[in-house]
Amino acid sequence: MKKNYNIKKKYIDLKLVLLLAGFYALFDLVLIAKTAYMQVFGVESMKSFSWSRFLLDNLLFDYIIVVSFMTLIAISTKRFLRKNYSWTKIISTHILFSLLIGIVIRLVVDFYYILLGQVSFAEYDLESSIFRFMYVIDLNFLIYFAMVFIIYTYYYVKEVKKAEKKQGKLEAQLVNTRMKMLSSQLQPHFLFNTLNSIAVLTDIDAAKAKDTIADLSDFLREILYDNDSNRIPLEKELRILEFYLNIIKVRFSDHLKISTEIDESLLPKLVPALLLQPILENSIKHGYDFNHTDLEILVKIYAEGKTLIIKVENNGAPVEAGHKLLLKRGMGLANINDRLENLYGNNYFFEVRNKNTGAGIETIIKIPIEN
């Protein structure tokens, strides 16, 4: 039962069906008003008019058929939009369906009359039925495309609202990411260690101390003010990372070696803002232990077809937990995964795992290449 409900919810939008039913009910009300006017004011052909037959035979069957037919069209339209069919194919299909709806109505009504015995098979006049179909073909055409317009407008407005909601969520997550970076990176021991390193350097290497202050300033400026976009060029993301690494290298001195292999043709491509820093932080944080006091980290960014691949690996301590458990434990990793999911849906890959060689861990992210 639950499975059937999920299928209906996936393919049938009840609000849209009610909207179509309401529109066609409004059309029927206008038709009833027009018919009443013509009867009251003595149109000759309306003298033998039967309201019961008009309401039951014409409006009721016509209403049920049209609303059912347009519900199927709404389901088909949803598939058209998901499959990204060409407009030529979509318009041609709808023109065909606009003719088909008139034929379906005519056949159902004729079959109903035959079942009631009002018309026998011998008396059935196909030419007369075709004439009645052709008599209202223009009206059926206009009604059909009016309802198709409602369907497309409904889905368009729904997608716009969905996109606005998604954009708002992304912006909120970006702000949240910055705040988490500040709480995790710029907590007292980070600043104290950096400032202590600068204080020591002022007596040993004044120039390096000055460079470290500049890196800290640039790093703070980038994460606080200059990243208002959810996606930024890879070149800018690497620049932010460089400020952070310069500070970290001062703290860890000769015990940390970081190297990069970057495909320079990818530098203009867009990547999620503030993505690399938490990955590097995680690799450094979990790489050190009593048996791994010297850490080497390699950052590789390259392309495979239309996929951009970011790989960060170290030679440090292995992780004992699986990727899903790591996401639950680490706020930074969970935040990365949430942002990737909101930016790319299911079209991404993210995993932290031990290397096949058993020496260290690797973080792999795969996302579509964007200009």
Side-chain angles (χ1 to χ4, degrees):
M1 180 66 73
K2 187 174 181 181
K3 185 176 181 181
N4 291 335
Y5 173 76
N6 290 334
I7 291 174
K8 289 180 180 178
K9 189 175 180 181
K10 181 178 180 181
Y11 292 104
I12 301 177
D13 194 317
L14 184 59
K15 289 183 179 179
L16 178 56
V17 173
L18 292 175
L19 187 63
L20 294 172
F23 170 80
Y24 202 63
L26 181 62
F27 168 79
D28 279 347
L29 288 175
V30 173
L31 179 59
I32 291 171
K34 184 189 80 169
T35 304
Y37 175 85
M38 294 174 66
Q39 187 181 37
V40 169
F41 287 91
V43 177
E44 191 65 29
S45 61
M46 301 294 291
K47 298 298 182 182
S48 59
F49 180 78
S50 170
W51 275 104
S52 60
R53 181 169 180 176
F54 174 74
L55 293 175
L56 179 63
D57 296 355
N58 293 341
L59 290 190
L60 182 60
F61 279 101
D62 181 72
Y63 184 84
I64 293 173
I65 294 169
V66 170
V67 173
S68 300
F69 190 87
M70 293 311 298
T71 300
L72 295 176
I73 297 301
I75 295 172
S76 300
T77 300
K78 197 170 186 178
R79 290 179 61 85
F80 286 160
L81 294 174
R82 286 181 175 178
K83 297 293 184 179
N84 291 322
Y85 289 129
S86 67
W87 280 106
T88 303
K89 186 175 182 179
I90 292 174
I91 292 173
S92 301
T93 302
H94 282 307
I95 290 175
L96 178 62
F97 284 160
S98 70
L99 299 175
L100 184 61
I101 189 172
I103 296 174
V104 170
I105 293 172
R106 190 70 262 152
L107 290 176
V108 171
V109 172
D110 289 348
F111 184 68
Y112 171 70
Y113 287 156
I114 293 173
L115 285 180
L116 289 182
Q118 296 181 11
V119 178
S120 65
F121 279 108
E123 296 173 335
Y124 180 70
D125 186 357
L126 179 60
E127 185 176 346
S128 176
S129 183
I130 294 174
F131 177 81
R132 287 192 293 271
F133 162 71
M134 294 301 297
Y135 185 75
V136 293
I137 189 172
D138 53 342
L139 184 61
N140 288 335
F141 181 85
L142 291 175
I143 292 173
Y144 176 88
F145 274 94
M147 297 181 81
V148 166
F149 177 77
I150 291 174
I151 293 171
Y152 275 93
T153 302
Y154 176 86
Y155 283 132
Y156 175 77
V157 171
K158 192 173 182 179
E159 286 299 315
V160 168
K161 289 183 177 179
K162 185 178 178 181
E164 289 176 349
K165 185 178 180 181
K166 187 175 182 180
Q167 180 66 22
K169 188 175 181 180
L170 285 170
E171 291 175 356
Q173 283 196 326
L174 186 58
V175 173
N176 190 35
T177 298
R178 292 193 193 128
M179 295 303 102
K180 286 182 178 180
M181 284 182 64
L182 287 176
S183 63
S184 63
Q185 293 297 336
L186 304 182
Q187 47 191 292
H189 77 265
F190 173 80
L191 284 175
F192 289 155
N193 288 336
T194 304
L195 293 174
N196 284 335
S197 299
I198 293 172
V200 172
L201 285 172
T202 54
D203 294 328
I204 302 174
D205 190 338
K208 193 170 185 180
K210 191 179 296 184
D211 290 340
T212 305
I213 294 174
D215 287 328
L216 179 60
S217 174
D218 289 335
F219 178 70
L220 291 173
R221 185 184 300 109
E222 289 285 357
I223 67 172
L224 287 174
Y225 303 113
D226 295 338
N227 281 326
D228 293 327
S229 300
N230 292 310
R231 297 178 178 89
I232 60 175
L234 175 60
E235 185 175 13
K236 184 174 183 180
E237 179 72 6
L238 290 172
R239 186 170 68 247
I240 297 173
L241 181 66
E242 185 178 357
F243 298 142
Y244 171 74
L245 293 180
N246 288 341
I247 298 170
I248 292 297
K249 287 176 182 177
V250 171
R251 288 177 50 195
F252 290 95
S253 186
D254 296 331
H255 297 285
L256 177 64
K257 180 181 179 182
I258 298 175
S259 55
T260 60
E261 294 179 9
I262 311 295
D263 183 346
E264 294 188 358
S265 66
L266 298 174
L267 293 179
K269 306 302 181 183
L270 298 180
V271 297
L274 308 178
L275 175 67
L276 294 175
Q277 185 274 333
I279 296 175
L280 263 292
E281 177 198 11
N282 185 73
S283 186
I284 294 171
K285 179 180 177 180
H286 295 288
Y288 282 109
D289 69 359
F290 292 109
N291 298 318
H292 300 82
T293 56
D294 293 313
L295 194 65
E296 294 182 4
I297 295 178
L298 173 62
V299 180
K300 296 176 67 176
I301 302 178
Y302 57 97
E304 287 184 357
K306 297 182 179 180
T307 302
L308 188 147
I309 300 175
I310 299 172
K311 181 182 290 187
V312 178
E313 55 184 62
N314 66 27
N315 63 342
V319 291
E320 297 180 358
H323 177 70
K324 290 184 179 180
L325 187 57
L326 288 174
L327 291 181
K328 293 180 181 179
R329 290 179 178 177
M331 294 179 63
L333 294 179
N335 185 270
I336 290 173
N337 190 68
D338 289 342
R339 291 179 60 213
L340 290 172
E341 184 176 0
N342 280 285
L343 283 169
Y344 305 109
N346 294 322
N347 192 23
Y348 79 96
F349 178 83
F350 174 43
E351 186 174 12
V352 179
R353 64 196 183 195
N354 292 319
K355 294 165 66 175
N356 293 331
T357 59
I361 63 173
E362 60 183 6
T363 302
I364 300 177
I365 292 177
K366 298 180 181 181
I367 56 176
I369 293 178
E370 296 181 312
N371 293 320

